[in-house]
């Protein structure tokens, strides 16, 4: 009689048949990696100060996959679970140098104090370091961020001149700081809502629009253009279109530059992409999801403008539709009322409060409710994302990967995706995709979690 699966399991697992891919050649991570940040506000300063605090041994990099995460390799019996930072050749924290642009002249010390995310004592302890990071004047036009009255700006309204100036800033920074490689992560304010136009469809049309000061080219797009032209990876932490247009995607592919975006996945949307896959996994229906936020930082003030809020709202609303697939499960998710609100409430500063009321239903249609009150710290959640993106985009560039880096969807509210594909929002699929990409790069087999080999002769 054949042995039962359990008997096989008791005999111990058999060696796996491994079909390993060839490892991808990856250039050495040595040297200095410059991290350029358009926008030296709450997120950027929390990131910079945090990296320095970790470097000085004063704090731990919680929330960062590159610093804390592990990755399983091979079958379970092999028990190979290295840290991600030991498995893939990433730049170390000691190799990072920081540069920024902002439309206010405050250095990183003053800006960190204004942001009020980190405790004053902690910022004071890093004062000497933070004061050295002074922002370069920003490419700015108030039409795109109505609530900001920037004073530290490039003195030209010509978008072509902005691009030339930013490209020159990048080259100067690279030389002055003796950087071997650079990456750029947009940490600037959320711009007004824009739809892609003809000007965004090809490189030629885009460059003509730049020359013509076309309205459809906001500052964030000019930064993205300058980065890609300079051959450096670009990530967009805000929901602005920025690099998410065919012209810049094409330019990135032509120039061998990795791209990623959009909108750091923190707070409420992080919770949504954790919970919604769970409801769907258990075939629990969702009738409504009401999300409201109060926050009092500068980001909150900018989002108080309806046009900037519209950009954010679009980014936040997309998530549930893609995860719950109402077209596949009309009875469960076909009639959801999904509402998102953000209110500017100064007393809270960066310590946002996000409430969710979720109306779900189960067996025979009986309704239930879930309430979430997330007292989160926005920039504390965002800072490790900036770090991971800088290190992973640098890895991608050294591995010869260009264009959209969909494997970094894990970090985004609105993941950029290739033509004809839909974005992947489920946090757990995103994590598997990220780790499988690392395995693939390093010539390790993919983990499918099938596990049948442990129970068959
Ligand atoms: N904190 C989070 O959890 C989180 C999550 C997702 C997305 N974001 C996005 O990240 C961005 C930064 O957030 P924050 O909390 O640091 O905001 P912030 O307002 O503290 O900082 C943004 C900075 O960008 C500057 N800026 C605006 N336009 C600029 C330009 N054209 N050039 C150079 N600098 C410019 C502003 O002066 C400001 O100092 C926002 O767009 C926000 O929506 C933040």
């Amino acid at each position: 009689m054949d042995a039962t699966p359990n008997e096989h399991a008791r005999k111990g697992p058999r060696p796996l048949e491994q079909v390993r891919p060839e490892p991808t050649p990856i250039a050495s991570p040595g040297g200095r990696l410059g991290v350029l940040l358009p926008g030296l506000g709450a997120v950027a300063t929390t990131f910079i100060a945090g990296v320095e605090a970790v470097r000085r041994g004063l704090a731990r990099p919680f929330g960062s996959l590159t610093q804390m995460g592990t990755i399983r390799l091979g079958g379970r019996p092999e028990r190979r679970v290295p840290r991600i930072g030991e498995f893939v050749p990433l730049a170390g924290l000691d190799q990072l140098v920081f540069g920024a642009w902002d439309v206010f002249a405050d250095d990183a010390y003053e800006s960190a104090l204004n942001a009020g995310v980190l405790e004053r004592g902690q910022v004071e302890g890093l004062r000497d370091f933070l004061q050295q990071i002074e922002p370069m004047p920003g490419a700015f036009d108030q039409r795109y961020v109505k609530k900001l009255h920037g004073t530290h700006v490039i003195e030209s309204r010509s978008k072509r001149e902005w691009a030339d100036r930013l490209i020159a800033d990048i080259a100067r920074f690279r030389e002055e700081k003796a950087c071997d490689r650079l990456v750029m992560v947009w940490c600037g304010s959320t711009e007004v809502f824009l739809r892609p136009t003809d000007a965004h469809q090809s490189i030629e049309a885009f460059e003509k629009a730049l020359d013509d000061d076309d309205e459809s080219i906001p500052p964030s797009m000019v930064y993205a253009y300058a980065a890609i032209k300079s051959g450096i990876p670009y990530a967009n932490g805000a929901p602005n279109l920025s690099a998410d247009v065919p012209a810049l995607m094409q330019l990135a592919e032509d120039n061998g530059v990795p791209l990623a975006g959009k909108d750091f996945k923190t707070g409420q949307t992080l919770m949504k992409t954790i919970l919604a896959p769970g409801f769907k996994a258990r075939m629990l229906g969702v009738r409504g999801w009401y999300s409201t936020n109060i926050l009092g930082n500068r980001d909150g003030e900018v989002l108080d403008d309806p046009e900037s809020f519209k950009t954010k709202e679009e980014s936040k609303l997309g998530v549930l539709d893609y995860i719950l697939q109402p077209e596949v499960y009309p009875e469960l998710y076909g009639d959801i009322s999904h509402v998102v609100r953000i209110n500017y409430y100064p007393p809270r500063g960066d310590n946002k409060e996000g409430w969710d009321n979720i109306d779900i239903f189960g067996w025979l249609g009986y309704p239930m409710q879930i309430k979430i009150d997330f007292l989160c710290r926005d920039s504390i959640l965002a800072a490790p994302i900036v770090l991971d993106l800088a290190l992973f985009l640098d890895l991608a560039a050294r591995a010869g990967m260009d264009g959209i880096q969909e494997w970094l969807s894990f970090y985004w509210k609105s993941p950029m995706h290739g033509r004809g594909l839909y974005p992947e929002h489920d946090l757990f699929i995103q994590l598997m995709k990220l780790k499988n990409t690392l395995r693939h790069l390093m010539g390790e087999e993919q983990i499918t979690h099938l596990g049948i080999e442990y129970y068959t002769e």
Side-chain angles (χ1 to χ4, degrees), residues 12 14 23-24 65 92 106 125 158 176 188 206 209 239 253 261 311 323 341 357 367 375 377 405 412 414 428:
R14 294 171 336 109
T24 307
L65 204 58
D106 295 346
S158 152
E176 281 176 9
F206 184 91
E253 283 173 27
T311 312
I323 294 180
R341 295 277 177 268
N357 170 74
L375 292 131
R377 293 173 187 264
Q405 303 299 301
W412 304 117
S414 305
F428 305 100

Side-chain angles (χ1 to χ4, degrees), residues 34-40 43-44 47 99-101 182-188 223 227 232-238 260 264 382-383 385-391 393 412:
V35 184
L36 288 169
L37 306 162
L40 186 59
V43 172
F47 156 63
W101 293 266
L182 297 168
V183 295
M184 186 187 289
V185 184
W186 172 270
C187 291
Y223 284 94
I232 67 177
Y234 178 81
N236 173 17
F264 302 129
I385 297 186
V386 182
L387 173 62
D388 284 0
L389 286 168
L391 299 185
L393 281 174
W412 304 117

Side-chain angles (χ1 to χ4, degrees), residues 421-437:
L421 298 176
Y422 60 83
E424 184 50 69
H425 282 284
D426 178 326
L427 190 82
F428 305 100
I429 297 177
Q430 292 172 332
L431 182 62
M432 195 181 302
K433 201 176 179 70
L434 188 156
K435 289 192 173 179
N436 272 340
T437 303

